[in-house]
Amino acid sequence: MKEHPITGGIAAELSGIDLKQPISDDLAEALRDSLARNLVLVIRDQFLDIDQHRRLAEVFGPPAINPYAPGKGDHPEMTSVIKEASERTGVFGGGWHSDLTFLEKPPGGSVLCAIQIPPYGGDTLYASQQAAWDALPEPLKQLLDGRDAIHVGKPYGVKWAPPVEEQSMKGSTKRNDPEADKERFHPAVLTHPVTGRKGLYINETYTMRLDGLSEADSAPILRQIFQHSTLPEFCCRLRWSPGMITIWDNYSTQHYAINDYHGHRREMRRTTFEGDRPIREWA
């Protein structure tokens, strides 16, 4: 396996591996190590079927069912992320976020396979929240370190639900769930269990306020953090190709699906793998 950095701060492309074949213990260890260091992995020309996709996810943790976008049939852990050529709505995963941070145990990461891509557009942005933490002004570091942030599932709840005409994947996602409106407390800063690097765990989609501060008092602080955490210096922009796979660490990154391909169909297949309840320091 060869590793080729994509930017100076996040993501690497891997070559010299065929994930359609059984994954050896040595390869699994190398993949986990690479993900811990690079946070986003890209492997091209794999064209995995569902069983191979699941086997790859199991390298990183037990595959998890997205409670708000479960897969159909015999594979509820496999979410089909589809935008039809005729749709003019938002896109699943649009807006900067880490996945489902309003859950008690958000997913540890995801494995996303490209099934059908548009002739242009449909790229995905990723941002290293470890790089964002490293560059954060010291007063903000002191404010956040040791403090919780409060998350709610705005797109899936009742109180902040987006207009129906803007919702993506109608009929395939669960909406208007009052449970998603409940506040969930997670550390604003996490320490990676392998590398020991700190990273922000705050995102614009789900983070409502900081513990000990009102929503109004939190708002200007969070706006500053949101803008800082996705600066270009911390990001990479991935152009998809057929059969390509991307794996990411959901605790150390944010991502953004770009909705710029109206009139063209895009289909991806995704599964998440389980994580632990976020804590400040993993043993």
Side-chain angles (χ1 to χ4, degrees):
M1 183 181 88
K2 295 182 179 179
E3 187 179 286
H4 314 272
I6 294 175
T7 75
I10 185 174
E13 183 169 342
L14 307 182
S15 63
I17 54 177
D18 181 359
L19 297 173
K20 293 186 291 295
Q21 302 303 316
I23 299 172
S24 68
D25 291 343
D26 286 345
L27 178 55
E29 184 176 355
L31 289 168
R32 288 190 292 267
D33 174 71
S34 186
L35 184 62
R37 289 182 289 104
N38 296 293
L39 306 182
V40 176
L41 303 180
V42 176
I43 312 108
R44 298 185 185 275
D45 302 319
Q46 297 298 305
F47 300 96
L48 301 187
D49 63 26
I50 286 179
D51 291 334
Q52 293 160 347
H53 187 167
R54 181 184 173 90
R55 184 174 64 202
L56 175 59
E58 288 172 339
V59 167
F60 304 96
I65 298 172
N66 183 333
Y68 293 95
K72 296 177 179 174
D74 295 334
H75 292 280
E77 78 284 7
M78 294 287 170
T79 298
S80 293
V81 181
I82 299 172
K83 184 183 175 191
E84 300 290 354
S86 59
E87 291 185 79
R88 293 295 185 272
T89 62
V91 65
F92 188 77
W96 282 109
H97 66 289
S98 302
D99 288 325
L100 303 178
T101 60
F102 61 95
L103 298 181
E104 180 180 3
K105 290 185 177 181
S110 287
V111 180
L112 183 61
C113 298
I115 307 300
Q116 181 179 354
I117 62 168
Y120 54 81
D123 297 355
T124 304
L125 295 168
Y126 292 90
S128 168
Q129 297 308 281
Q130 295 176 353
W133 168 260
D134 290 345
L136 195 68
E138 190 61 33
L140 284 177
K141 284 185 174 181
Q142 294 177 9
L143 176 69
L144 295 178
D145 207 3
R147 185 185 295 266
D148 283 345
I150 290 83
H151 304 248
V152 295
K154 288 181 278 187
Y156 305 108
V158 177
K159 186 175 179 181
W160 296 277
V164 173
E165 62 272 14
E166 297 179 9
Q167 295 177 8
S168 62
M169 292 176 57
K170 294 185 185 69
S172 297
T173 54
K174 182 179 179 181
R175 304 280 184 172
N176 300 311
D177 177 15
E179 287 294 313
D181 288 337
K182 293 183 177 180
E183 293 186 340
R184 184 76 63 188
F185 289 63
H186 291 312
V189 183
L190 301 179
T191 299
H192 194 281
V194 176
T195 65
R197 291 188 65 186
K198 287 185 174 182
L200 292 170
Y201 196 59
I202 289 174
N203 69 90
E204 189 168 4
T205 297
Y206 300 125
T207 306
M208 288 292 294
R209 63 182 178 88
L210 298 172
D211 191 24
L213 297 176
S214 67
E215 192 173 331
D217 289 340
S218 297
I221 301 169
L222 289 176
R223 277 197 301 270
Q224 185 177 353
I225 295 168
F226 296 153
Q227 292 170 0
H228 170 86
S229 63
T230 56
L231 287 173
E233 292 86 349
F234 315 143
C235 294
C236 69
R237 178 169 177 155
L238 296 184
R239 175 75 178 104
W240 291 91
S241 59
M244 177 173 145
I245 296 164
T246 298
I247 306 163
W248 67 88
D249 179 331
N250 190 53
Y251 291 146
S252 305
T253 67
Q254 292 190 51
H255 58 281
Y256 188 124
I258 301 175
N259 189 20
D260 61 348
Y261 53 96
H262 293 317
H264 300 284
R265 190 178 191 273
R266 181 179 185 267
E267 179 179 354
M268 318 293 278
R269 187 178 65 230
R270 190 179 96 167
T271 190
T272 61
F273 45 90
E274 290 181 5
D276 295 318
R277 189 180 189 281
I279 57 176
R280 289 181 178 85
E281 303 267 354
W282 274 288

